[in-house]
Amino acid sequence: LKSKRHLALEFARLNGLNLKHLPVHFQDDWEIVTAAVENSANAFVYASPRLRADSAMNVEVITRGKFLLFDRF
């Protein structure tokens, strides 16, 4: 059986915007949020407030994210 975290990670990789449908603890998971952002930078709006405020995570979004729309923040 795959773990719930592994399934959440695959769900985020499939479509980054799926992050909004994941439980809050997955929205606060660095690896899951990074996977979501690699698919769609717009997914960053669904990351936890802690990760959105993290400067290192912001660098990840800028360097890995695709099609970032700054007006969403």
Side-chain angles (χ1 to χ4, degrees):
L1 261 190
K2 294 182 178 181
S3 71
K4 289 181 183 180
R5 184 179 180 282
H6 179 77
L7 292 173
L9 181 59
E10 290 304 314
F11 193 54
R13 283 184 179 143
L14 180 65
N15 180 341
L17 296 177
N18 286 336
L19 187 62
K20 73 179 177 180
H21 302 294
L22 293 175
V24 173
H25 64 278
F26 290 134
Q27 294 172 349
D28 192 53
D29 183 296
W30 184 282
E31 186 179 9
I32 292 172
V33 171
T34 300
V37 166
E38 284 179 348
N39 179 270
S40 173
N42 295 330
F44 193 53
V45 298
Y46 303 112
S48 69
R50 181 184 72 84
L51 289 181
R52 287 196 317 266
D54 186 290
S55 59
M57 177 55 77
N58 279 272
V59 169
E60 289 289 319
V61 172
I62 291 166
T63 58
R64 296 179 182 226
K66 298 176 185 171
F67 311 113
L68 183 62
L69 299 175
F70 290 100
D71 64 336
R72 301 275 317 262
F73 294 97

